[in-house]
Amino acid sequence: MKEVIHNDYQLTDEIGRGRFGIVYRCYSIVSGDSFACKSIDKRLLSDPIDRECLQKEPKILHILGGNPNILQIYRLYEEDDYLHMIVDLCDSPDLFDRISARAGVFSEPEAATIFLPLISSIGYCHRLGIAHRDIKPDNVLFDSSGNLKLADFGSAEWFGMNERGTMTGVVGTPYYVAPEVLSGREYNEKVDVWSAGVILYIMLAGVPPFYGESPADTFDAVLRGNLRFPTKIFRSISPEAKDLLKKMLCKDVSRRFSAEQVLRHPWVVRGGETRSMADLT
């Protein structure tokens, strides 16, 4: 017998909205625990690629289940016209809102407290052969306790199922997408490292590293990959932070750090607490 969501969960107020559905706050009728319900209207999915993403995301979330910094899926209900996913309730401002509220400028230790769980979750995905492919502040959520939750795996891909470990397809978001994705070539999971590097740059500088007046201009800037550290903005940023950004935002994929290498970088290991100038000389 088909399970009916309203037998198990009470949906209350709307807390988010996307192209294909609505996110509601809900609670379990049995336990009273609070969750979020992502309800997707399947009638809006005319594109086969969108339909594939709809089927793929719950499977990937199940595979990634158990990591404290990745959105957890608890139940899945499928109706004729809707798909409902019961997931972690993340009702604190997401990273996009947090960056917007403070003009994007975080101290290095503040940025590190967000960056460490983010890159840790990315590394966990990569170890399981999954690339997120749309890392951006809007997809970095926080629960009521302030715990980071990487979300929205609709564009994710199993690169581990490919012998060469590569993927194709132009997916992602202007400002954050890696240059090799835009070039139309095959690429690997390091596209996520690039995107995380863009987020770190924005948190420290308040501006994106690659941008233009239009999406097309932004894509051109990304393709050039000419990383700069304007003196006025980066005067107070440590050499270690800039070194990490250079290794993440490296256009040469063979030289770009992996997520595991990022986790071992001194800036990350010390949580953004940089050494004194005497230690650096």
Side-chain angles (χ1 to χ4, degrees):
M1 186 174 69
K2 182 182 288 188
E3 293 181 309
V4 179
I5 185 172
H6 298 292
N7 290 343
D8 301 320
Y9 294 89
Q10 177 68 48
L11 276 58
T12 58
D13 50 312
E14 176 183 328
I15 56 175
R17 183 177 287 260
R19 275 195 306 156
F20 304 120
I22 300 173
V23 180
Y24 297 96
R25 188 188 308 271
C26 68
Y27 64 87
S28 166
I29 293 173
V30 173
S31 69
D33 293 335
S34 296
F35 298 91
C37 175
K38 185 175 181 180
S39 295
I40 298 165
D41 188 340
K42 295 190 290 185
R43 294 167 297 184
L44 300 176
L45 302 170
S46 56
D47 189 317
I49 295 176
D50 291 332
R51 286 189 171 273
E52 181 185 351
C53 290
L54 174 66
Q55 298 300 324
K56 189 190 303 179
E57 183 175 22
K59 295 176 184 177
I60 287 178
L61 288 176
H62 276 299
I63 292 170
L64 298 174
N67 185 287
N69 297 121
I70 293 176
L71 193 75
Q72 302 293 299
I73 183 169
Y74 299 97
R75 296 289 296 274
L76 184 67
Y77 299 86
E78 185 153 12
E79 301 171 355
D80 292 338
D81 295 330
Y82 286 90
L83 184 76
H84 306 284
M85 289 189 286
I86 305 298
V87 296
D88 287 322
L89 175 63
C90 295
D91 52 359
S92 293
D94 62 27
L95 185 54
F96 179 86
D97 291 334
R98 294 178 184 217
I99 290 172
S100 300
R102 55 195 299 169
V105 180
F106 293 70
S107 71
E108 292 187 43
E110 286 174 329
T113 62
I114 293 172
F115 183 76
L116 178 56
L118 173 60
I119 199 65
S120 296
S121 66
I122 292 170
Y124 179 78
C125 293
H126 292 178
R127 287 195 298 276
L128 292 179
I130 293 169
H132 186 285
R133 302 203 299 174
D134 195 18
I135 302 288
K136 58 183 178 181
D138 319 53
N139 292 335
V140 179
L141 310 182
F142 297 88
D143 65 18
S144 58
S145 299
N147 300 307
L148 182 146
K149 303 283 184 178
L150 181 59
D152 200 346
F153 284 79
S155 297
E157 188 60 88
W158 284 288
F159 66 86
M161 297 177 68
N162 180 329
E163 284 185 11
R164 297 165 61 184
T166 58
M167 297 161 280
T168 57
V170 179
V171 295
T173 302
Y175 297 122
Y176 306 98
V177 65
E180 61 268 26
V181 175
L182 296 177
S183 71
R185 303 192 308 267
E186 290 186 339
Y187 51 85
N188 64 23
E189 72 278 10
K190 287 184 182 180
V191 297
D192 290 343
V193 174
W194 176 283
S195 301
V198 174
I199 289 177
L200 179 58
Y201 188 106
I202 291 172
M203 284 196 291
L204 294 175
V207 294
F210 313 105
Y211 60 91
E213 295 299 317
S214 68
D217 291 340
T218 298
F219 286 149
D220 287 342
V222 170
L223 282 167
R224 288 193 298 272
N226 186 11
L227 181 64
R228 292 192 176 105
F229 298 111
T231 303
K232 185 176 180 181
I233 297 174
F234 277 86
R235 185 181 296 112
S236 61
I237 304 300
S238 70
E240 293 147 306
K242 287 184 276 193
D243 179 72
L244 175 58
L245 288 168
K246 288 176 186 175
K247 290 178 165 65
M248 296 181 72
L249 297 172
C250 178
K251 189 176 177 182
D252 182 346
V253 180
S254 67
R255 293 173 52 236
R256 186 184 307 160
F257 265 20
S258 68
E260 295 301 324
Q261 287 175 303
V262 172
L263 284 165
R264 295 194 296 270
H265 189 276
W267 188 89
V268 177
V269 171
R270 285 195 294 273
E273 296 287 352
T274 55
R275 292 176 290 181
S276 68
M277 291 306 296
D279 292 332
L280 291 172
T281 56

